[in-house]
Amino acid sequence: MIDVKNLHKSFGDNEVLRGIDEHIAKGEKVVVIGPSGSGKSTFLRCLNLLEKPTQGEIWFEEQNITDKKTNVDKVRQKMGMVFQHFNLFPHLTVQQNITLAPINLKLQTKQEADANALRLLERIGLADKANSYPNMLSGGQKQRIAIVRALAMNPDVMLFDEPTSALDPEMVGEVLQLMKELANEGMTMVVVTHEMGFAKEVGTRVLFMDEGVIMEQNTPLQLFENPQSTRLKEFLSKVL
Amino acid sequence: MTFQEKFVLNFIEDNRWRYLVEGLQNTIIITFFALIVGVVLGFTIALIRVTHDRTGKLKILNGIAKLYLTVIRGTPVLIQLMIMYYVVFAPFAGISKIVTAVMAFGINSGAYVAEIFRSGIMSVDNGQMEAGRSLGLNYNKTMWLIVMPQAIKNILPALGNEFITLLKETSVAGYIAIQDLTKGGDIIRSRTYEPFLPLLAVALIYLSVVLVLQAGVNKLERRLGKSDRR
């Protein structure tokens, strides 16, 4: 589904990604872990071209999306993204947040989009918040709404950029729960996170990134129980 | 002379109040259209500047925009008005002086409005742009649907301020022989040799217009602020 070939990314003189080759198959739940500054967020943001790779190719559903001729907006419609800081639109109600893109991109009529939004909100138990503004909600509620906002576009893959890092501890569970449900439904997911429990439980594969490369990868069980590189051993000893 | 006699002399005799009414009309016409020119111009300039700063495109337009901001903000509006009248519009003698004034004040206000808009756009967290783009909306749609509404809410007080300033700045329109509100008061004074009442009247009329403008801005602010309530 996603093919990354020799991906490099520099910010000025600072080379953040130093050659990444990776294949992500449909239905996989890939969890990316690593110390801060390792390039894991940049890697994720390259996948939907929020960051422009300086070198290398990314293929998504048989299309080279790093090609200049590719319509990036069309590609992004099929890749949902969830941010650390939710990035809900504060001037719109919860329901408008969810329906804005489908309606404006003419993918759904207003009626369809509204019905779809309410169905999604019911699913996460927040139907009564449809007409509230994001400011009135808790962090956990905001992030769950950000997730269903991305789902409203019927994406083929969901990218999560540290979705629980900005949450109060007691709200982490509800967000992870929703992500688990998504995983169980077969959604292809790429998740950058510090939640090792989630990686173990939900991940089909865990990538350990360090200094701009994927240093080690394995099934969660193998990676956590039997780390090979000293860097990974060091990292795990600090976070587990 | 009693106050009553002075009042009659300045405003009632020879229908002198009409200088003020006609003057106010011109002041409002100039302010209103200059405001539209200023907002359209300022909005465009701000978009050029922000797009250039974020994407590196529009290099030439950005250069022109910067030159415009420097020149307009670096010279007095009265000089700009006179250049517009005596130089720029001089070959077009048939064009109304009101149009000249609208262009001069509009172009002047546009420079200030541009910087206000730009600060508004920059005040919106970049995550908003990223969220919009990640949903598949293009740059323009994201700007229009997501960034601008929040930017305008943030800059409303500053924008209201600029509108008030613009209204008062048009009081120099008399320099190119437009009979605006200030000039109207001047004419009465030159007829009656009585400065106090005409000036007081002119001041009060400006103040009332500003109060109306302010009330409008406040109302808009309240309406746009409804998403802030917790």
Side-chain angles (χ1 to χ4, degrees):
Chain A
M1 171 174 262
I2 301 178
D3 260 307
V4 180
K5 296 176 184 168
N6 190 29
L7 175 64
H8 287 255
K9 172 70 189 178
S10 305
F11 296 101
D13 290 334
N14 182 17
E15 193 171 30
V16 180
L17 297 180
R18 302 186 300 161
I20 292 185
D21 290 275
E22 191 52 55
H23 173 77
I24 296 166
K26 195 168 162 49
E28 269 197 300
K29 296 94 182 68
V30 177
V31 179
V32 187
I33 61 171
S36 59
S38 59
K40 53 192 193 304
S41 272
T42 306
F43 168 60
L44 190 78
R45 289 160 58 83
C46 278
L47 294 182
N48 72 347
L49 300 178
L50 279 185
E51 302 293 351
K52 240 177 156 178
T54 27
Q55 198 190 322
E57 286 179 5
I58 299 169
W59 290 68
F60 174 63
E61 298 181 334
E62 270 80 65
Q63 193 184 8
N64 178 3
I65 63 173
T66 35
D67 186 0
K68 276 198 182 68
K69 279 171 275 177
T70 305
N71 182 346
V72 182
D73 299 316
K74 269 269 186 295
V75 174
R76 287 188 182 132
Q77 291 177 21
K78 288 284 138 206
M79 300 175 121
M81 175 117 181
V82 176
F83 299 88
Q84 182 178 355
H85 295 288
F86 332 128
N87 296 350
L88 290 181
F89 308 133
H91 63 301
L92 300 177
T93 64
V94 166
Q95 181 163 347
Q96 288 167 336
N97 260 278
I98 300 171
T99 59
L100 179 80
I103 292 176
N104 272 287
L105 295 168
K106 302 203 164 51
L107 301 173
Q108 295 165 16
T109 65
K110 184 163 186 323
Q111 285 85 350
E112 284 168 356
D114 281 338
N116 194 30
L118 281 176
R119 191 179 53 76
L120 286 164
L121 285 173
E122 245 155 52
R123 169 187 172 160
I124 57 171
L126 292 176
D128 58 322
K129 303 287 185 196
N131 296 315
S132 304
Y133 286 94
N135 260 335
M136 306 168 182
L137 306 173
S138 73
Q141 291 172 332
K142 282 184 202 172
Q143 194 60 301
R144 286 186 289 145
I145 287 162
I147 292 173
V148 296
R149 177 175 73 180
L151 287 179
M153 294 291 293
N154 299 315
D156 294 339
V157 57
M158 287 281 286
L159 312 174
F160 293 84
D161 188 6
E162 303 198 23
T164 57
S165 297
L167 293 174
D168 290 338
E170 79 264 26
M171 304 192 170
V172 170
E174 59 190 74
V175 171
L176 291 181
Q177 184 54 38
L178 175 58
M179 290 169 65
K180 277 178 210 165
E181 285 171 29
L182 272 184
N184 290 336
E185 288 162 19
M187 176 64 76
T188 310
M189 293 163 65
V190 185
V191 186
V192 171
T193 187
H194 295 292
E195 294 290 332
M196 297 303 149
F198 177 84
K200 276 184 197 165
E201 196 180 334
V202 180
T204 53
R205 197 147 57 92
V206 180
L207 312 181
F208 171 66
M209 282 189 70
D210 193 32
E211 293 177 348
V213 292
I214 296 173
M215 195 150 272
E216 196 170 334
Q217 62 165 299
N218 217 324
T219 60
L221 194 69
Q222 283 297 316
L223 190 107
F224 287 113
E225 298 304 321
N226 192 14
Q228 301 297 314
S229 61
T230 43
R231 290 291 296 170
L232 177 56
K233 280 177 194 160
E234 245 173 70
F235 176 72
L236 289 178
S237 73
K238 279 180 199 150
V239 297
L240 287 179
Chain B
M1 247 195 305
T2 64
F3 177 82
Q4 207 177 354
E5 284 166 338
K6 279 185 185 171
F7 189 88
V8 170
L9 172 70
N10 278 300
F11 303 124
I12 311 292
E13 233 171 69
D14 290 343
N15 282 334
R16 290 197 176 113
W17 56 272
R18 287 174 56 185
Y19 289 116
L20 296 181
V21 172
E22 280 162 26
L24 176 62
Q25 253 173 23
N26 282 337
T27 292
I28 287 178
I29 289 171
I30 294 171
T31 306
F32 179 77
F33 287 101
L35 199 142
I36 292 176
V37 172
V39 166
V40 171
L41 194 62
F43 183 75
T44 314
I45 298 282
L47 272 187
I48 291 171
R49 301 262 288 122
V50 169
T51 306
H52 172 267
D53 289 352
R54 295 221 171 128
T55 64
K57 291 175 190 161
L58 308 178
K59 270 206 178 68
I60 296 168
L61 280 176
N62 184 58
I64 297 172
K66 270 175 135 172
L67 182 70
Y68 159 77
L69 292 177
T70 309
V71 171
I72 294 296
R73 291 192 302 167
T75 54
V77 64
L78 177 54
I79 305 299
Q80 293 163 21
L81 177 70
M82 293 207 283
I83 289 176
M84 195 62 86
Y85 180 63
Y86 290 112
V87 183
V88 180
F89 276 74
F92 315 100
I95 282 181
S96 152
K97 280 183 287 205
I98 300 276
V99 175
T100 312
V102 165
M103 290 314 290
F105 289 116
I107 289 170
N108 179 270
S109 181
Y112 296 92
V113 172
E115 289 298 272
I116 294 173
F117 266 117
R118 194 164 72 92
S119 72
I121 294 170
M122 288 193 311
S123 74
V124 177
D125 179 46
N126 200 33
Q128 293 289 312
M129 177 54 92
E130 288 184 349
R133 299 303 307 272
S134 77
L135 287 166
L137 297 166
N138 64 28
Y139 179 85
N140 289 337
K141 271 194 172 154
T142 308
M143 206 61 171
W144 190 248
L145 295 168
I146 295 165
V147 177
M148 271 338 257
Q150 297 179 54
I152 287 172
K153 195 184 91 183
N154 290 348
I155 62 173
L156 217 51
L159 217 48
N161 211 2
E162 171 56 25
F163 294 162
I164 289 171
T165 306
L166 174 62
L167 169 78
K168 292 185 298 183
E169 268 184 349
T170 61
S171 63
V172 299
Y175 270 85
I176 60 168
I178 288 175
Q179 197 194 317
D180 74 324
L181 180 56
T182 304
K183 187 81 182 171
D186 253 9
I187 294 173
I188 296 177
R189 181 172 51 81
S190 68
R191 301 279 153 84
T192 62
Y193 301 112
E194 190 11 85
F196 180 64
L197 275 186
L199 283 173
L200 183 71
V202 167
L204 284 177
I205 295 171
Y206 275 116
L207 183 62
S208 330
V209 179
V210 168
L211 287 179
V212 170
L213 242 155
Q214 226 164 38
V217 172
N218 286 346
K219 203 173 162 189
L220 203 59
E221 231 176 284
R222 270 202 304 279
R223 200 158 78 192
L224 293 179
K226 70 174 186 249
S227 63
D228 288 339
R229 273 173 229 141
R230 280 158 200 270

